[in-house]
Amino acid sequence: MTWAMVFFGAAVLVAFTPGANNLLGLHHGMTQGVWKGLAGLLGRLAAFTVLIAAVAAGLGQLLAASELALTVIKWAGVAYLVWIGGRLLWSTFRAGRTALVQMSRNAESLPASWIARKEFVVAITNPKAILIFTAFVPQFIDAAHGSFPTQIAILGAIYLLAEFVAGATYVGVCALVRSLRLSRRATRNVDRGTGVVLLGMAGALAASNS
């Protein structure tokens, strides 16, 4: 039990660290509301579940032995972050004030499945998320607690709980801000800020050596 609690505490700290998915959670909570923000969080958790299963099946060893695989994952992540960030920025500039009104209305009608799919793709192509399950989680493996796949499954489930707590907090706080009824200008600035930060994350990822 102590082993699991120590890992949960560390996992919560990692999960609360700002990143691409948490930024999207902030954005969706503020512009779409709590339920659609939580739908996005479920998409993220689904991606992490796939990564946990892959690590249990030997993904960590495969990536350690294949620089090409790491490079492909890295640039897929860069491309998707650029696409999302660029799309958000473009939507705020493309047609002036009239477009901003329409954009605000469209944001209300985005389907939850689309939001969940977007967070799923961001999570599963994010090299930092992959490192969590291939480098961070295995540090807590202890031979006294069972086989490697079993421990990865247990620790992975604990991490998913930590990620849910962090993600729900991000979404909830921004949904609360949304209840203050942001002006169209404020909504535009939220989208612009999110787009700029996502593009910055893409640039940092592209410039990294990992």
Side-chain angles (χ1 to χ4, degrees):
M1 183 62 67
T2 301
W3 165 71
M5 291 303 294
V6 169
F7 175 73
F8 179 73
V12 167
L13 292 177
V14 172
F16 268 98
T17 302
N21 278 108
N22 279 334
L23 179 62
L24 285 177
L26 285 170
H27 179 259
H28 292 145
M30 191 172 291
T31 61
Q32 304 295 324
V34 64
W35 295 114
K36 290 184 179 180
L38 290 175
L41 175 58
L42 290 179
R44 184 194 321 180
L45 296 179
F48 287 171
T49 300
V50 171
L51 290 176
I52 291 165
V55 170
L59 176 65
Q61 293 89 333
L62 174 64
L63 292 179
S66 176
E67 185 176 344
L68 176 61
L70 285 172
T71 300
V72 169
I73 292 170
K74 168 184 171 177
W75 288 104
V78 169
Y80 198 66
L81 288 176
V82 167
W83 183 78
I84 294 174
R87 188 169 180 268
L88 276 172
L89 282 176
W90 175 249
S91 71
T92 66
F93 288 108
R94 61 186 176 187
R97 193 174 183 84
T98 301
L100 290 178
V101 175
Q102 186 63 40
M103 177 191 67
S104 179
R105 291 173 180 168
N106 285 343
E108 296 290 337
S109 64
L110 284 177
S113 59
W114 189 88
I115 293 171
R117 187 164 58 248
K118 179 163 70 171
E119 285 218 34
F120 179 92
V121 175
V122 169
I124 209 161
T125 58
N126 187 347
K128 290 185 178 180
I130 294 171
L131 284 174
I132 288 173
F133 298 109
T134 59
F136 170 70
V137 174
Q139 291 181 31
F140 292 83
I141 297 293
D142 186 339
H145 292 98
S147 67
F148 179 83
T150 299
Q151 290 190 67
I152 285 293
I154 294 172
L155 294 174
I158 294 172
Y159 186 84
L160 290 179
L161 175 60
E163 188 71 30
F164 177 81
V165 170
T169 300
Y170 275 97
V171 169
V173 168
C174 285
L176 181 61
V177 173
R178 181 177 185 264
S179 69
L180 300 177
R181 299 188 180 279
L182 296 176
S183 67
R184 288 193 296 271
R185 182 176 182 180
T187 302
R188 175 193 61 189
N189 289 336
V190 168
D191 282 351
R192 284 184 180 175
T194 302
V196 168
V197 175
L198 284 172
L199 290 175
M201 288 180 173
L205 179 57
S208 69
N209 293 322
S210 58

